């Protein structure tokens, strides 16, 4: 691996901006627990995070409330088709909205590597630099959030 890529990965996966999760655990009901692990990071940026009403069931799918707003992470019908991939985007969306409302510089991105999931907080400039560095080396950053209408904008 060349020096630029090594520096980039050291930056992206630094403990002050990167939180490791298990993607399968998210799909199986671990989103609320994970959001608790990033609470202090968010609070340091002025974000108030209240998680409640986490529900997962065979017939209902998976949902939780973020600051009182119910977020459907997936329905059972979706799970049968997508295996829960929408959970990533639907988890980042309310967090990023709260970060924006708090005028925080960072946004939440998920670097998905099958079962392993790295949640990385980057500014837009850091995100652009990471994308450019990876693209120049012939790699992509499998990025969430994404625009569901244009599912090709993976980092």
């Amino acid at each position: 691996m060349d020096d630029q890529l090594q520096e980039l990965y050291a930056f992206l996966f630094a403990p002050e901006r990167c939180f490791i999760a298990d993607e399968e655990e998210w799909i199986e009901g671990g989103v609320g627990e994970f959001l608790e692990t990033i609470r202090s990071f968010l609070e340091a940026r002025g974000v108030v995070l209240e998680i409640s009403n986490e529900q997962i069931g065979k017939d209902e799918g998976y949902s939780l409330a973020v600051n009182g707003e119910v977020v459907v992470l997936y329905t059972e019908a979706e799970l049968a088709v997508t295996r829960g991939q929408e959970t990533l985007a639907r988890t980042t969306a309310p967090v990023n909205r709260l970060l924006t409302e708090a005028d925080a510089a960072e946004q939440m991105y998920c670097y998905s590597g099958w079962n392993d999931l790295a949640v990385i907080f980057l500014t837009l400039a850091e995100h652009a630099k990471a994308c450019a560095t990876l693209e120049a080396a012939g790699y992509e950053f499998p990025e969430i959030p994404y625009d569901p209408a244009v599912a090709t904008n993976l980092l």
Side-chain angles (χ1 to χ4, degrees):
M1 183 182 303
D2 72 16
D3 291 342
Q4 275 190 317
L5 282 178
Q6 285 182 333
E7 287 175 25
L8 175 62
Y9 283 121
F11 174 78
L12 291 175
F13 296 101
E16 65 270 13
R17 84 176 30 80
C18 181
F19 299 84
I20 302 300
D22 182 310
E23 191 170 334
E24 187 175 347
E25 285 180 16
W26 272 31
I27 294 167
E28 294 173 350
V31 171
E33 182 179 332
F34 178 79
L35 291 175
E36 290 297 330
T37 69
I38 64 172
R39 177 183 295 284
S40 61
F41 178 91
L42 296 172
E43 287 176 346
R45 282 141 185 89
V47 172
V48 175
L49 181 69
E50 296 297 327
I51 304 299
S52 61
N53 298 329
E54 190 167 13
Q55 298 179 15
I56 188 167
K58 184 173 182 178
D59 296 325
E60 301 86 33
Y62 183 21
S63 65
L64 52 74
V66 176
N67 294 5
E69 180 183 328
V70 174
V71 178
V72 176
L73 299 169
Y74 62 78
T75 65
E76 281 303 307
E78 289 171 327
L79 184 62
V81 175
T82 65
R83 298 185 331 227
Q85 290 300 305
E86 58 281 314
T87 305
L88 301 177
R90 292 179 184 167
T91 299
T92 59
V95 172
N96 283 338
R97 187 183 72 255
L98 293 170
L99 285 163
T100 299
E101 290 171 0
D103 291 325
E106 299 94 344
Q107 291 284 283
M108 178 178 165
Y109 297 90
C110 295
Y111 184 101
S112 177
W114 295 96
N115 246 11
D116 299 322
L117 180 66
V119 174
I120 305 170
F121 291 89
L122 299 170
T123 66
L124 291 177
E126 291 165 344
H127 175 262
K129 182 177 180 181
C131 287
T133 301
L134 288 168
E135 186 177 312
Y139 297 102
E140 288 183 79
F141 191 131
E143 167 198 346
I144 311 282
Y146 62 90
D147 178 346
V150 186
T152 59
N153 67 335
L154 301 179
L155 175 70

